[in-house]
Amino acid sequence: MGSDLNSSVHIVLFPFMSKGHTIPMLQIARLLLLRRGITITIFTTHANSPFIRQSLSDTQPNVSVIELDFPTNIPELPPGIESTDQFPSMSLFIPFANATKLMQPDFEKALNNLSISGGVNCIISDGFLFWTQKSAEKFSIPRLVFYGMNNYVMTLCRILGRNRSHLKLGLDEPFTVPGFPSVKLTLNDFESPMNDSNPQGPHFEFIVETGIATSKSQGLVVNSFYELEPAFLDYWNREFVPKAWCVGPFGLVEKTKYDQAAEKSNPKPDWIKWLDQKSVEGRSVLYVAFGSQAEITKEQLREMAAGLERSEVSFLWVVRSKGSEGLEELEEKVKGRGLVVREWVDQVEILGHESVKGFMSHCGWNSALEGICTAVPILAWPMMAEQHLNARMVAEELGVGLRILGSNGSVRGFVGAEIVEKMVRELMEGEEGEKVSKKVKEVGEAARKAMEEGGSSWRTLDQLIDETCRNTDPTHLLP
């Protein structure tokens, strides 16, 4: 793309209020800024603004942040919650997501002001902020959607949304997906209402509303790369709308000199010093993390702890401080060999450490990609949302990880300590672990090539900006 086009491009980003959605959106901002001359405005709420401003503190003056009031006095929501990371329970998700719609008038007022001061060429908003599609339409601004999912998940869900014969089967009865006979799933790979024969209620209505808004948008920005899942991307773009654009993995966006200098000047966290010591000792470490929102029962937590203790493998386990009170006994037993961390960590820094040779993960797509990009094989233990499908992709489609199953053989269900112990040892020391370790190195290298100048994701991002912005008049005003 020529600099003349870039110099006039203004893109609005509106991430959903959740760290797992916001972080990749901020990485999109950095990707766009590599194309000189693009300016970005990010919309968020007051409580989420400090995190965003700090994360992009080195990008001035090309990024600005506009703060909107988060709705108050929502009956189902405790006061003061402006991010899903603060939820006492994920049952609050639908009321929270629906409450964001009350921000629409303020969003449109700010959009109008931006139009007066120079215009907006494109909006990239989270799929959960479905109402932004109508705002974009009102201003005749192209809207691109970000969901944080891969093409594998999006394509399979859309196919099965049309062909519903599988809904007659039992929860653990395997079935193949039309168009992809090698893909075998069960109803237990899906959450309600996706596995209900007669879906209804607020959650289903939310899914329908987001789907309609997405279909009316101009494209999907996908945190993936073509070589990772070509059959699924090609199928989507042949059969469905809007067009999906793979411009990732976002996490491989080049760090600025500012970032690198800041890293060197900051003192090492205790857990990095601990990993350094393991490296000196010649010990391989399993990194264990299930994200900030997984709700794990005390009984299951105890079995996890017992399995890790018995495995005799060195491990670094990052847990939510809430609910981790029962791990003090484990910490005492594995002192020196295992470390439990209850603080926020830089996950990519940990995965990139030379001592880390395995990753027990809930398979959120951000985490799965981070494992792939750092060439760390994954022990997939999904908990919620589309994580079960991500786990299938990681273990069966890509071959970059192993899968933990419930003690009853189901993809869901209680996992005993003996299974945890067995699978940890297999990943870290077994033949299957060696096989997936070799494979993840190959896939990680392909990811890096996709993001390099001239790679598939680099070219796709150029095309996306070109097609979305070339004929867009940025001076949009309300009638």
PDB file of all heavy atoms in Angstrom, residues 16-17 70-71 74 76-77 87 91-104 128-131 201-207 209-210:
ATOM      1  N   PHE A  16     -14.308  -5.622  23.550  1.00  0.00           N
ATOM      2  CA  PHE A  16     -15.217  -6.023  24.621  1.00  0.00           C
ATOM      3  C   PHE A  16     -14.474  -5.919  25.941  1.00  0.00           C
ATOM      4  O   PHE A  16     -13.258  -6.080  25.999  1.00  0.00           O
ATOM      5  CB  PHE A  16     -15.714  -7.451  24.386  1.00  0.00           C
ATOM      6  CG  PHE A  16     -16.773  -7.903  25.346  1.00  0.00           C
ATOM      7  CD1 PHE A  16     -18.024  -7.313  25.349  1.00  0.00           C
ATOM      8  CD2 PHE A  16     -16.514  -8.930  26.251  1.00  0.00           C
ATOM      9  CE1 PHE A  16     -19.003  -7.721  26.233  1.00  0.00           C
ATOM     10  CE2 PHE A  16     -17.495  -9.351  27.133  1.00  0.00           C
ATOM     11  CZ  PHE A  16     -18.739  -8.747  27.136  1.00  0.00           C
ATOM     12  N   MET A  17     -15.228  -5.684  27.022  1.00  0.00           N
ATOM     13  CA  MET A  17     -14.617  -5.423  28.325  1.00  0.00           C
ATOM     14  C   MET A  17     -14.225  -6.730  29.022  1.00  0.00           C
ATOM     15  O   MET A  17     -14.859  -7.191  29.965  1.00  0.00           O
ATOM     16  CB  MET A  17     -15.576  -4.624  29.207  1.00  0.00           C
ATOM     17  CG  MET A  17     -15.988  -3.297  28.603  1.00  0.00           C
ATOM     18  SD  MET A  17     -17.335  -3.526  27.427  1.00  0.00           S
ATOM     19  CE  MET A  17     -17.479  -1.883  26.759  1.00  0.00           C
ATOM     20  N   PHE A  70     -19.899   3.318  31.603  1.00  0.00           N
ATOM     21  CA  PHE A  70     -20.556   2.007  31.605  1.00  0.00           C
ATOM     22  C   PHE A  70     -21.908   2.154  32.307  1.00  0.00           C
ATOM     23  O   PHE A  70     -22.007   2.863  33.320  1.00  0.00           O
ATOM     24  CB  PHE A  70     -19.703   0.954  32.324  1.00  0.00           C
ATOM     25  CG  PHE A  70     -20.212  -0.446  32.114  1.00  0.00           C
ATOM     26  CD1 PHE A  70     -19.862  -1.162  30.977  1.00  0.00           C
ATOM     27  CD2 PHE A  70     -21.081  -1.043  33.031  1.00  0.00           C
ATOM     28  CE1 PHE A  70     -20.345  -2.451  30.764  1.00  0.00           C
ATOM     29  CE2 PHE A  70     -21.572  -2.317  32.821  1.00  0.00           C
ATOM     30  CZ  PHE A  70     -21.206  -3.025  31.686  1.00  0.00           C
ATOM     31  N   PRO A  71     -22.961   1.522  31.787  1.00  0.00           N
ATOM     32  CA  PRO A  71     -24.295   1.682  32.379  1.00  0.00           C
ATOM     33  C   PRO A  71     -24.318   1.311  33.858  1.00  0.00           C
ATOM     34  O   PRO A  71     -23.652   0.367  34.290  1.00  0.00           O
ATOM     35  CB  PRO A  71     -25.160   0.714  31.568  1.00  0.00           C
ATOM     36  CG  PRO A  71     -24.420   0.535  30.278  1.00  0.00           C
ATOM     37  CD  PRO A  71     -22.974   0.648  30.601  1.00  0.00           C
ATOM     38  N   ILE A  74     -27.900  -1.628  36.694  1.00  0.00           N
ATOM     39  CA  ILE A  74     -28.402  -2.808  35.984  1.00  0.00           C
ATOM     40  C   ILE A  74     -28.770  -3.831  37.055  1.00  0.00           C
ATOM     41  O   ILE A  74     -27.892  -4.265  37.831  1.00  0.00           O
ATOM     42  CB  ILE A  74     -27.332  -3.391  35.036  1.00  0.00           C
ATOM     43  CG1 ILE A  74     -26.806  -2.311  34.089  1.00  0.00           C
ATOM     44  CG2 ILE A  74     -27.886  -4.578  34.258  1.00  0.00           C
ATOM     45  CD1 ILE A  74     -27.818  -1.694  33.184  1.00  0.00           C
ATOM     46  N   GLU A  76     -29.233  -7.016  37.432  1.00  0.00           N
ATOM     47  CA  GLU A  76     -28.529  -8.293  37.620  1.00  0.00           C
ATOM     48  C   GLU A  76     -27.045  -8.125  37.952  1.00  0.00           C
ATOM     49  O   GLU A  76     -26.382  -9.094  38.337  1.00  0.00           O
ATOM     50  CB  GLU A  76     -28.644  -9.166  36.351  1.00  0.00           C
ATOM     51  CG  GLU A  76     -30.061  -9.456  35.913  1.00  0.00           C
ATOM     52  CD  GLU A  76     -30.563  -8.486  34.846  1.00  0.00           C
ATOM     53  OE1 GLU A  76     -30.166  -7.296  34.879  1.00  0.00           O
ATOM     54  OE2 GLU A  76     -31.346  -8.927  33.996  1.00  0.00           O
ATOM     55  N   LEU A  77     -26.504  -6.913  37.769  1.00  0.00           N
ATOM     56  CA  LEU A  77     -25.060  -6.723  37.920  1.00  0.00           C
ATOM     57  C   LEU A  77     -24.702  -6.015  39.223  1.00  0.00           C
ATOM     58  O   LEU A  77     -25.293  -4.987  39.546  1.00  0.00           O
ATOM     59  CB  LEU A  77     -24.514  -5.892  36.753  1.00  0.00           C
ATOM     60  CG  LEU A  77     -24.610  -6.495  35.351  1.00  0.00           C
ATOM     61  CD1 LEU A  77     -24.047  -5.515  34.338  1.00  0.00           C
ATOM     62  CD2 LEU A  77     -23.860  -7.820  35.277  1.00  0.00           C
ATOM     63  N   PHE A  87     -16.143 -10.655  37.386  1.00  0.00           N
ATOM     64  CA  PHE A  87     -17.358 -11.413  37.680  1.00  0.00           C
ATOM     65  C   PHE A  87     -17.157 -12.367  38.856  1.00  0.00           C
ATOM     66  O   PHE A  87     -16.175 -13.119  38.877  1.00  0.00           O
ATOM     67  CB  PHE A  87     -17.779 -12.281  36.484  1.00  0.00           C
ATOM     68  CG  PHE A  87     -18.397 -11.545  35.329  1.00  0.00           C
ATOM     69  CD1 PHE A  87     -18.792 -12.229  34.198  1.00  0.00           C
ATOM     70  CD2 PHE A  87     -18.596 -10.174  35.375  1.00  0.00           C
ATOM     71  CE1 PHE A  87     -19.363 -11.575  33.129  1.00  0.00           C
ATOM     72  CE2 PHE A  87     -19.164  -9.503  34.308  1.00  0.00           C
ATOM     73  CZ  PHE A  87     -19.551 -10.212  33.175  1.00  0.00           C
ATOM     74  N   SER A  91     -22.249 -16.523  35.144  1.00  0.00           N
ATOM     75  CA  SER A  91     -23.684 -16.403  34.881  1.00  0.00           C
ATOM     76  C   SER A  91     -24.088 -14.946  34.622  1.00  0.00           C
ATOM     77  O   SER A  91     -25.179 -14.674  34.119  1.00  0.00           O
ATOM     78  CB  SER A  91     -24.491 -16.954  36.062  1.00  0.00           C
ATOM     79  OG  SER A  91     -24.234 -16.190  37.234  1.00  0.00           O
ATOM     80  N   LEU A  92     -23.185 -14.020  34.946  1.00  0.00           N
ATOM     81  CA  LEU A  92     -23.460 -12.601  34.727  1.00  0.00           C
ATOM     82  C   LEU A  92     -23.158 -12.150  33.302  1.00  0.00           C
ATOM     83  O   LEU A  92     -23.414 -10.995  32.945  1.00  0.00           O
ATOM     84  CB  LEU A  92     -22.631 -11.745  35.698  1.00  0.00           C
ATOM     85  CG  LEU A  92     -22.894 -11.919  37.191  1.00  0.00           C
ATOM     86  CD1 LEU A  92     -21.967 -11.022  37.996  1.00  0.00           C
ATOM     87  CD2 LEU A  92     -24.348 -11.609  37.521  1.00  0.00           C
ATOM     88  N   PHE A  93     -22.628 -13.051  32.479  1.00  0.00           N
ATOM     89  CA  PHE A  93     -22.150 -12.633  31.161  1.00  0.00           C
ATOM     90  C   PHE A  93     -23.250 -12.010  30.290  1.00  0.00           C
ATOM     91  O   PHE A  93     -23.071 -10.924  29.726  1.00  0.00           O
ATOM     92  CB  PHE A  93     -21.514 -13.801  30.405  1.00  0.00           C
ATOM     93  CG  PHE A  93     -21.165 -13.443  28.989  1.00  0.00           C
ATOM     94  CD1 PHE A  93     -20.058 -12.670  28.711  1.00  0.00           C
ATOM     95  CD2 PHE A  93     -21.977 -13.828  27.931  1.00  0.00           C
ATOM     96  CE1 PHE A  93     -19.743 -12.297  27.406  1.00  0.00           C
ATOM     97  CE2 PHE A  93     -21.681 -13.470  26.624  1.00  0.00           C
ATOM     98  CZ  PHE A  93     -20.554 -12.701  26.364  1.00  0.00           C
ATOM     99  N   ILE A  94     -24.394 -12.677  30.162  1.00  0.00           N
ATOM    100  CA  ILE A  94     -25.445 -12.173  29.274  1.00  0.00           C
ATOM    101  C   ILE A  94     -25.991 -10.822  29.757  1.00  0.00           C
ATOM    102  O   ILE A  94     -26.089  -9.876  28.956  1.00  0.00           O
ATOM    103  CB  ILE A  94     -26.579 -13.205  29.100  1.00  0.00           C
ATOM    104  CG1 ILE A  94     -26.042 -14.445  28.358  1.00  0.00           C
ATOM    105  CG2 ILE A  94     -27.745 -12.614  28.337  1.00  0.00           C
ATOM    106  CD1 ILE A  94     -25.499 -14.168  26.968  1.00  0.00           C
ATOM    107  N   PRO A  95     -26.339 -10.655  31.047  1.00  0.00           N
ATOM    108  CA  PRO A  95     -26.764  -9.326  31.491  1.00  0.00           C
ATOM    109  C   PRO A  95     -25.706  -8.255  31.251  1.00  0.00           C
ATOM    110  O   PRO A  95     -26.013  -7.126  30.877  1.00  0.00           O
ATOM    111  CB  PRO A  95     -27.032  -9.498  32.990  1.00  0.00           C
ATOM    112  CG  PRO A  95     -27.113 -10.947  33.249  1.00  0.00           C
ATOM    113  CD  PRO A  95     -26.474 -11.660  32.116  1.00  0.00           C
ATOM    114  N   PHE A  96     -24.436  -8.621  31.445  1.00  0.00           N
ATOM    115  CA  PHE A  96     -23.337  -7.677  31.241  1.00  0.00           C
ATOM    116  C   PHE A  96     -23.231  -7.282  29.772  1.00  0.00           C
ATOM    117  O   PHE A  96     -23.165  -6.092  29.432  1.00  0.00           O
ATOM    118  CB  PHE A  96     -22.026  -8.311  31.718  1.00  0.00           C
ATOM    119  CG  PHE A  96     -20.814  -7.427  31.569  1.00  0.00           C
ATOM    120  CD1 PHE A  96     -20.474  -6.521  32.560  1.00  0.00           C
ATOM    121  CD2 PHE A  96     -20.009  -7.515  30.442  1.00  0.00           C
ATOM    122  CE1 PHE A  96     -19.352  -5.705  32.429  1.00  0.00           C
ATOM    123  CE2 PHE A  96     -18.889  -6.707  30.305  1.00  0.00           C
ATOM    124  CZ  PHE A  96     -18.556  -5.806  31.292  1.00  0.00           C
ATOM    125  N   ALA A  97     -23.224  -8.293  28.888  1.00  0.00           N
ATOM    126  CA  ALA A  97     -23.095  -8.018  27.450  1.00  0.00           C
ATOM    127  C   ALA A  97     -24.276  -7.199  26.939  1.00  0.00           C
ATOM    128  O   ALA A  97     -24.112  -6.274  26.139  1.00  0.00           O
ATOM    129  CB  ALA A  97     -22.966  -9.330  26.682  1.00  0.00           C
ATOM    130  N   ASN A  98     -25.472  -7.536  27.405  1.00  0.00           N
ATOM    131  CA  ASN A  98     -26.655  -6.792  26.968  1.00  0.00           C
ATOM    132  C   ASN A  98     -26.650  -5.356  27.498  1.00  0.00           C
ATOM    133  O   ASN A  98     -27.147  -4.439  26.851  1.00  0.00           O
ATOM    134  CB  ASN A  98     -27.931  -7.505  27.405  1.00  0.00           C
ATOM    135  CG  ASN A  98     -28.239  -8.721  26.536  1.00  0.00           C
ATOM    136  OD1 ASN A  98     -27.889  -8.748  25.352  1.00  0.00           O
ATOM    137  ND2 ASN A  98     -28.883  -9.721  27.107  1.00  0.00           N
ATOM    138  N   ALA A  99     -26.073  -5.165  28.684  1.00  0.00           N
ATOM    139  CA  ALA A  99     -26.014  -3.822  29.263  1.00  0.00           C
ATOM    140  C   ALA A  99     -25.173  -2.881  28.412  1.00  0.00           C
ATOM    141  O   ALA A  99     -25.420  -1.663  28.379  1.00  0.00           O
ATOM    142  CB  ALA A  99     -25.452  -3.885  30.683  1.00  0.00           C
ATOM    143  N   THR A 100     -24.170  -3.427  27.695  1.00  0.00           N
ATOM    144  CA  THR A 100     -23.308  -2.556  26.884  1.00  0.00           C
ATOM    145  C   THR A 100     -24.105  -1.815  25.815  1.00  0.00           C
ATOM    146  O   THR A 100     -23.678  -0.761  25.336  1.00  0.00           O
ATOM    147  CB  THR A 100     -22.177  -3.352  26.200  1.00  0.00           C
ATOM    148  OG1 THR A 100     -22.731  -4.253  25.234  1.00  0.00           O
ATOM    149  CG2 THR A 100     -21.348  -4.126  27.223  1.00  0.00           C
ATOM    150  N   LYS A 101     -25.264  -2.344  25.444  1.00  0.00           N
ATOM    151  CA  LYS A 101     -26.079  -1.696  24.412  1.00  0.00           C
ATOM    152  C   LYS A 101     -26.515  -0.297  24.849  1.00  0.00           C
ATOM    153  O   LYS A 101     -26.755   0.588  24.015  1.00  0.00           O
ATOM    154  CB  LYS A 101     -27.300  -2.554  24.095  1.00  0.00           C
ATOM    155  CG  LYS A 101     -28.082  -2.081  22.884  1.00  0.00           C
ATOM    156  CD  LYS A 101     -29.186  -3.047  22.516  1.00  0.00           C
ATOM    157  CE  LYS A 101     -29.924  -2.563  21.262  1.00  0.00           C
ATOM    158  NZ  LYS A 101     -31.015  -3.483  20.863  1.00  0.00           N
ATOM    159  N   LEU A 102     -26.597  -0.083  26.146  1.00  0.00           N
ATOM    160  CA  LEU A 102     -26.996   1.228  26.664  1.00  0.00           C
ATOM    161  C   LEU A 102     -25.924   2.294  26.415  1.00  0.00           C
ATOM    162  O   LEU A 102     -26.170   3.486  26.614  1.00  0.00           O
ATOM    163  CB  LEU A 102     -27.295   1.127  28.165  1.00  0.00           C
ATOM    164  CG  LEU A 102     -28.454   0.183  28.549  1.00  0.00           C
ATOM    165  CD1 LEU A 102     -28.552   0.038  30.063  1.00  0.00           C
ATOM    166  CD2 LEU A 102     -29.767   0.692  27.967  1.00  0.00           C
ATOM    167  N   MET A 103     -24.748   1.846  25.962  1.00  0.00           N
ATOM    168  CA  MET A 103     -23.668   2.782  25.639  1.00  0.00           C
ATOM    169  C   MET A 103     -23.807   3.341  24.215  1.00  0.00           C
ATOM    170  O   MET A 103     -23.063   4.241  23.825  1.00  0.00           O
ATOM    171  CB  MET A 103     -22.308   2.086  25.782  1.00  0.00           C
ATOM    172  CG  MET A 103     -22.021   1.576  27.182  1.00  0.00           C
ATOM    173  SD  MET A 103     -20.676   0.365  27.228  1.00  0.00           S
ATOM    174  CE  MET A 103     -19.294   1.399  26.791  1.00  0.00           C
ATOM    175  N   GLN A 104     -24.746   2.812  23.448  1.00  0.00           N
ATOM    176  CA  GLN A 104     -24.851   3.163  22.029  1.00  0.00           C
ATOM    177  C   GLN A 104     -25.032   4.667  21.774  1.00  0.00           C
ATOM    178  O   GLN A 104     -24.341   5.230  20.905  1.00  0.00           O
ATOM    179  CB  GLN A 104     -25.985   2.368  21.371  1.00  0.00           C
ATOM    180  CG  GLN A 104     -26.051   2.544  19.858  1.00  0.00           C
ATOM    181  CD  GLN A 104     -27.027   1.560  19.214  1.00  0.00           C
ATOM    182  OE1 GLN A 104     -27.628   0.727  19.877  1.00  0.00           O
ATOM    183  NE2 GLN A 104     -27.177   1.674  17.899  1.00  0.00           N
ATOM    184  N   PHE A 128     -19.255  -9.336  20.371  1.00  0.00           N
ATOM    185  CA  PHE A 128     -20.221  -9.253  21.466  1.00  0.00           C
ATOM    186  C   PHE A 128     -20.863  -7.864  21.559  1.00  0.00           C
ATOM    187  O   PHE A 128     -21.921  -7.718  22.155  1.00  0.00           O
ATOM    188  CB  PHE A 128     -19.551  -9.593  22.797  1.00  0.00           C
ATOM    189  CG  PHE A 128     -19.137 -11.043  22.917  1.00  0.00           C
ATOM    190  CD1 PHE A 128     -18.183 -11.420  23.845  1.00  0.00           C
ATOM    191  CD2 PHE A 128     -19.707 -12.030  22.115  1.00  0.00           C
ATOM    192  CE1 PHE A 128     -17.799 -12.762  23.978  1.00  0.00           C
ATOM    193  CE2 PHE A 128     -19.324 -13.359  22.234  1.00  0.00           C
ATOM    194  CZ  PHE A 128     -18.367 -13.726  23.163  1.00  0.00           C
ATOM    195  N   LEU A 129     -20.206  -6.860  20.986  1.00  0.00           N
ATOM    196  CA  LEU A 129     -20.788  -5.512  20.932  1.00  0.00           C
ATOM    197  C   LEU A 129     -21.595  -5.402  19.640  1.00  0.00           C
ATOM    198  O   LEU A 129     -21.331  -4.572  18.766  1.00  0.00           O
ATOM    199  CB  LEU A 129     -19.680  -4.460  21.000  1.00  0.00           C
ATOM    200  CG  LEU A 129     -18.767  -4.543  22.233  1.00  0.00           C
ATOM    201  CD1 LEU A 129     -17.621  -3.540  22.128  1.00  0.00           C
ATOM    202  CD2 LEU A 129     -19.563  -4.303  23.525  1.00  0.00           C
ATOM    203  N   PHE A 130     -22.594  -6.266  19.512  1.00  0.00           N
ATOM    204  CA  PHE A 130     -23.359  -6.429  18.272  1.00  0.00           C
ATOM    205  C   PHE A 130     -24.013  -5.131  17.814  1.00  0.00           C
ATOM    206  O   PHE A 130     -24.167  -4.869  16.622  1.00  0.00           O
ATOM    207  CB  PHE A 130     -24.414  -7.518  18.451  1.00  0.00           C
ATOM    208  CG  PHE A 130     -25.375  -7.258  19.581  1.00  0.00           C
ATOM    209  CD1 PHE A 130     -26.543  -6.544  19.387  1.00  0.00           C
ATOM    210  CD2 PHE A 130     -25.096  -7.713  20.872  1.00  0.00           C
ATOM    211  CE1 PHE A 130     -27.421  -6.292  20.430  1.00  0.00           C
ATOM    212  CE2 PHE A 130     -25.963  -7.461  21.930  1.00  0.00           C
ATOM    213  CZ  PHE A 130     -27.123  -6.746  21.704  1.00  0.00           C
ATOM    214  N   TRP A 131     -24.383  -4.297  18.762  1.00  0.00           N
ATOM    215  CA  TRP A 131     -25.114  -3.064  18.468  1.00  0.00           C
ATOM    216  C   TRP A 131     -24.266  -2.035  17.722  1.00  0.00           C
ATOM    217  O   TRP A 131     -24.795  -1.102  17.114  1.00  0.00           O
ATOM    218  CB  TRP A 131     -25.655  -2.445  19.760  1.00  0.00           C
ATOM    219  CG  TRP A 131     -24.639  -2.384  20.867  1.00  0.00           C
ATOM    220  CD1 TRP A 131     -24.393  -3.330  21.821  1.00  0.00           C
ATOM    221  CD2 TRP A 131     -23.703  -1.323  21.111  1.00  0.00           C
ATOM    222  NE1 TRP A 131     -23.381  -2.925  22.655  1.00  0.00           N
ATOM    223  CE2 TRP A 131     -22.943  -1.702  22.238  1.00  0.00           C
ATOM    224  CE3 TRP A 131     -23.464  -0.093  20.495  1.00  0.00           C
ATOM    225  CZ2 TRP A 131     -21.942  -0.890  22.765  1.00  0.00           C
ATOM    226  CZ3 TRP A 131     -22.458   0.718  21.005  1.00  0.00           C
ATOM    227  CH2 TRP A 131     -21.708   0.314  22.129  1.00  0.00           C
ATOM    228  N   GLY A 201     -34.296 -18.687  25.115  1.00  0.00           N
ATOM    229  CA  GLY A 201     -33.832 -17.963  26.294  1.00  0.00           C
ATOM    230  C   GLY A 201     -32.849 -16.865  25.945  1.00  0.00           C
ATOM    231  O   GLY A 201     -32.430 -16.709  24.792  1.00  0.00           O
ATOM    232  N   PRO A 202     -32.435 -16.086  26.951  1.00  0.00           N
ATOM    233  CA  PRO A 202     -31.572 -14.908  26.733  1.00  0.00           C
ATOM    234  C   PRO A 202     -30.249 -15.226  26.038  1.00  0.00           C
ATOM    235  O   PRO A 202     -29.801 -14.452  25.188  1.00  0.00           O
ATOM    236  CB  PRO A 202     -31.330 -14.378  28.153  1.00  0.00           C
ATOM    237  CG  PRO A 202     -32.480 -14.889  28.960  1.00  0.00           C
ATOM    238  CD  PRO A 202     -32.856 -16.202  28.366  1.00  0.00           C
ATOM    239  N   HIS A 203     -29.614 -16.347  26.400  1.00  0.00           N
ATOM    240  CA  HIS A 203     -28.320 -16.685  25.795  1.00  0.00           C
ATOM    241  C   HIS A 203     -28.484 -16.953  24.304  1.00  0.00           C
ATOM    242  O   HIS A 203     -27.701 -16.473  23.476  1.00  0.00           O
ATOM    243  CB  HIS A 203     -27.712 -17.910  26.497  1.00  0.00           C
ATOM    244  CG  HIS A 203     -26.252 -18.080  26.229  1.00  0.00           C
ATOM    245  ND1 HIS A 203     -25.435 -18.899  26.969  1.00  0.00           N
ATOM    246  CD2 HIS A 203     -25.447 -17.539  25.291  1.00  0.00           C
ATOM    247  CE1 HIS A 203     -24.197 -18.841  26.497  1.00  0.00           C
ATOM    248  NE2 HIS A 203     -24.183 -18.024  25.475  1.00  0.00           N
ATOM    249  N   PHE A 204     -29.504 -17.729  23.955  1.00  0.00           N
ATOM    250  CA  PHE A 204     -29.751 -18.021  22.541  1.00  0.00           C
ATOM    251  C   PHE A 204     -30.102 -16.744  21.778  1.00  0.00           C
ATOM    252  O   PHE A 204     -29.633 -16.531  20.660  1.00  0.00           O
ATOM    253  CB  PHE A 204     -30.879 -19.050  22.415  1.00  0.00           C
ATOM    254  CG  PHE A 204     -31.221 -19.378  20.993  1.00  0.00           C
ATOM    255  CD1 PHE A 204     -30.322 -20.042  20.180  1.00  0.00           C
ATOM    256  CD2 PHE A 204     -32.448 -18.995  20.452  1.00  0.00           C
ATOM    257  CE1 PHE A 204     -30.632 -20.334  18.855  1.00  0.00           C
ATOM    258  CE2 PHE A 204     -32.769 -19.286  19.138  1.00  0.00           C
ATOM    259  CZ  PHE A 204     -31.857 -19.965  18.342  1.00  0.00           C
ATOM    260  N   GLU A 205     -30.911 -15.895  22.370  1.00  0.00           N
ATOM    261  CA  GLU A 205     -31.289 -14.636  21.717  1.00  0.00           C
ATOM    262  C   GLU A 205     -30.055 -13.761  21.479  1.00  0.00           C
ATOM    263  O   GLU A 205     -29.938 -13.094  20.439  1.00  0.00           O
ATOM    264  CB  GLU A 205     -32.308 -13.889  22.590  1.00  0.00           C
ATOM    265  CG  GLU A 205     -33.674 -14.570  22.643  1.00  0.00           C
ATOM    266  CD  GLU A 205     -34.538 -14.062  23.783  1.00  0.00           C
ATOM    267  OE1 GLU A 205     -34.151 -13.048  24.430  1.00  0.00           O
ATOM    268  OE2 GLU A 205     -35.593 -14.676  24.044  1.00  0.00           O
ATOM    269  N   PHE A 206     -29.123 -13.792  22.436  1.00  0.00           N
ATOM    270  CA  PHE A 206     -27.881 -13.034  22.285  1.00  0.00           C
ATOM    271  C   PHE A 206     -27.061 -13.577  21.111  1.00  0.00           C
ATOM    272  O   PHE A 206     -26.533 -12.805  20.292  1.00  0.00           O
ATOM    273  CB  PHE A 206     -27.065 -13.107  23.582  1.00  0.00           C
ATOM    274  CG  PHE A 206     -25.725 -12.447  23.509  1.00  0.00           C
ATOM    275  CD1 PHE A 206     -25.601 -11.066  23.573  1.00  0.00           C
ATOM    276  CD2 PHE A 206     -24.567 -13.208  23.379  1.00  0.00           C
ATOM    277  CE1 PHE A 206     -24.360 -10.448  23.507  1.00  0.00           C
ATOM    278  CE2 PHE A 206     -23.328 -12.606  23.315  1.00  0.00           C
ATOM    279  CZ  PHE A 206     -23.215 -11.223  23.374  1.00  0.00           C
ATOM    280  N   ILE A 207     -26.965 -14.901  21.006  1.00  0.00           N
ATOM    281  CA  ILE A 207     -26.218 -15.525  19.903  1.00  0.00           C
ATOM    282  C   ILE A 207     -26.836 -15.146  18.563  1.00  0.00           C
ATOM    283  O   ILE A 207     -26.127 -14.815  17.597  1.00  0.00           O
ATOM    284  CB  ILE A 207     -26.179 -17.053  20.077  1.00  0.00           C
ATOM    285  CG1 ILE A 207     -25.281 -17.427  21.267  1.00  0.00           C
ATOM    286  CG2 ILE A 207     -25.673 -17.745  18.810  1.00  0.00           C
ATOM    287  CD1 ILE A 207     -25.333 -18.886  21.654  1.00  0.00           C
ATOM    288  N   GLU A 209     -28.648 -12.497  17.871  1.00  0.00           N
ATOM    289  CA  GLU A 209     -28.451 -11.066  17.623  1.00  0.00           C
ATOM    290  C   GLU A 209     -27.025 -10.773  17.149  1.00  0.00           C
ATOM    291  O   GLU A 209     -26.815  -9.991  16.220  1.00  0.00           O
ATOM    292  CB  GLU A 209     -28.766 -10.276  18.904  1.00  0.00           C
ATOM    293  CG  GLU A 209     -29.175  -8.850  18.644  1.00  0.00           C
ATOM    294  CD  GLU A 209     -30.032  -8.269  19.763  1.00  0.00           C
ATOM    295  OE1 GLU A 209     -30.115  -8.889  20.843  1.00  0.00           O
ATOM    296  OE2 GLU A 209     -30.607  -7.190  19.550  1.00  0.00           O
ATOM    297  N   THR A 210     -26.042 -11.421  17.773  1.00  0.00           N
ATOM    298  CA  THR A 210     -24.653 -11.208  17.341  1.00  0.00           C
ATOM    299  C   THR A 210     -24.442 -11.765  15.938  1.00  0.00           C
ATOM    300  O   THR A 210     -23.717 -11.186  15.131  1.00  0.00           O
ATOM    301  CB  THR A 210     -23.646 -11.867  18.305  1.00  0.00           C
ATOM    302  OG1 THR A 210     -23.923 -13.264  18.428  1.00  0.00           O
ATOM    303  CG2 THR A 210     -23.697 -11.224  19.677  1.00  0.00           C
TER     304      THR A 210
END
